[in-house]
Amino acid sequence: MRHAVIMAGGSGTRLWPMSRRGRPKQLVPMLDGRTLLHMAWERLEGLLEPECIYVCGAEEHREIVLDSIQGLLPRNFIGEPMGRDTLNAVGLSAVVLSTRDPDAAMAVVTADHIIEPRHRFQSYVARGLELVEQDPRAMVTFGIEPTSPATGFGYLELGERVGDGVHVLRKFKEKPDAQTAAEYLAAGPERYLWNSGMFVWRAHTLLDCVRRYEPAVFEGLERIRDAWETDAHPQVLAEVYPTLKKISVDYAVMEPASEDPTVRLYAIPMSLEWMDVGNWRSYAQMCPADDNGNRIGAERAVLEDCRQVLVASSDPTHVIAVVGCEDLMVVHTPEATLVCPSSRAEDVKRLTDTISRHHGTDVL
């Protein structure tokens, strides 16, 4: 049977102070009052029945997630005791699906992207599901055509075309330096694509790769699986999961799989609108721009003689006024305010470490 798991465990520190530990970015209203998680759920509606859609996120956010996604079954929320990177989130999800459906075809999709149009996204995911149903050895990833020499994304190196819209995946390329990223862009989308972070595979195929490439992680996941449908499951999960090696599924599985003749890796280029809402600069692209490039994501804001300024606020009673500024981001919440040049949006993640040292973690 076909299933999908929405990965919703990210902390979103680059979108502080709106993204907080108690309500990370995927649970913050972003567009027309909808959260990124809600948009991810909507993208799957009509492709799969609600009972086949899962969300994997932090256990501490269980109630918030279930309250915000009305169609999500409580048993389909897969709670992580703590974040241990994507290998373990995906592995835990595969464990849950395989206990309920040994032949589960499993799409792994993200909760931190804006993707349009929905019907085209669904057609690509359906094509990936078809591939793994036809060949259990197949593992599918999805690529996005680069629009800039971005150094913040991984890349997919494409091999020969093997079907309608399907390529052999030759190699995963981790986040490159600026010169290499420029070379990838120049080579064109027939050679290199951005790695979307979305996959399709059989649950048992993914777990078999974990068994061979990361045996210690597999051993821990096996202990969790043995206890999953028993009363001991919460205790075993809490004891074992924090001990699992913290590593991404790209490094742990997809890179060695590209050298493994027992696995068949495919890439499907996605031709659609795709935005990774990873920092405040990308968030700004969601807000309409005025004639001076200013963008407002706040109910009460006044900008005079400003250019390329972003104002965002979660406090409808607070007025933000900015005069004579350029290339600036002002983000306000009732608990904290961020002001920084737009060009330094990536530094917000490092800033949160400094804040925690000087002011504790309450405001994080």
Side-chain angles (χ1 to χ4, degrees), residues 148-323:
S148 65
T151 58
F153 299 136
Y155 286 73
L156 309 177
E157 183 180 359
L158 303 184
E160 66 272 19
R161 186 187 297 270
V162 293
D164 184 23
V166 180
H167 290 255
V168 169
L169 177 58
R170 181 173 295 157
K171 195 75 175 176
F172 267 80
K173 303 285 189 178
E174 276 307 312
K175 298 175 182 178
D177 57 30
Q179 179 179 341
T180 303
E183 292 170 358
Y184 291 168
L185 182 66
E190 288 296 313
R191 181 74 184 279
Y192 292 105
L193 298 173
W194 284 337
N195 176 17
S196 72
M198 296 184 285
F199 308 91
V200 176
W201 42 51
R202 296 285 189 103
H204 66 74
T205 302
L206 181 278
L207 290 172
D208 185 61
C209 287
V210 177
R211 177 184 63 81
R212 291 183 289 119
Y213 309 149
E214 294 289 343
V217 171
F218 180 78
E219 181 181 347
L221 293 174
E222 280 285 273
R223 289 180 59 194
I224 293 170
R225 176 159 58 185
D226 291 343
W228 191 258
E229 301 292 348
T230 74
D231 292 340
H233 136 239
Q235 179 180 347
V236 172
L237 180 63
E239 290 177 355
V240 174
Y241 199 79
T243 70
L244 301 180
K245 180 181 178 180
K246 191 173 184 180
I247 187 172
S248 75
V249 70
D250 293 344
Y251 278 124
V253 171
M254 301 308 287
E255 284 197 355
S258 67
E259 307 290 339
D260 186 344
T262 69
V263 179
R264 294 180 178 175
L265 292 190
Y266 298 104
I268 297 179
M270 283 182 157
S271 178
L272 37 66
E273 296 180 29
W274 179 88
M275 181 186 296
D276 179 21
V277 189
N279 59 33
W280 285 113
R281 292 186 73 178
S282 56
Y283 171 87
Q285 301 306 308
M286 299 166 53
C287 305
D290 67 13
D291 293 341
N292 294 314
N294 300 310
R295 299 174 186 268
I296 297 177
E299 290 193 26
R300 307 181 75 183
V302 177
L303 279 68
E304 285 195 4
D305 191 27
C306 291
R307 297 179 60 83
Q308 305 295 328
V309 170
L310 166 69
V311 172
S313 174
S314 63
D315 186 349
T317 68
H318 192 86
V319 177
I320 298 176
V322 186
V323 180

Side-chain angles (χ1 to χ4, degrees), residues 5 30 39 53 97 147 161 203 308 331 350:
V5 181
M30 289 278 184
M39 286 183 260
I53 304 176
L97 265 63
T147 57
R161 186 187 297 270
Q308 305 295 328
V331 183
R350 187 172 69 246

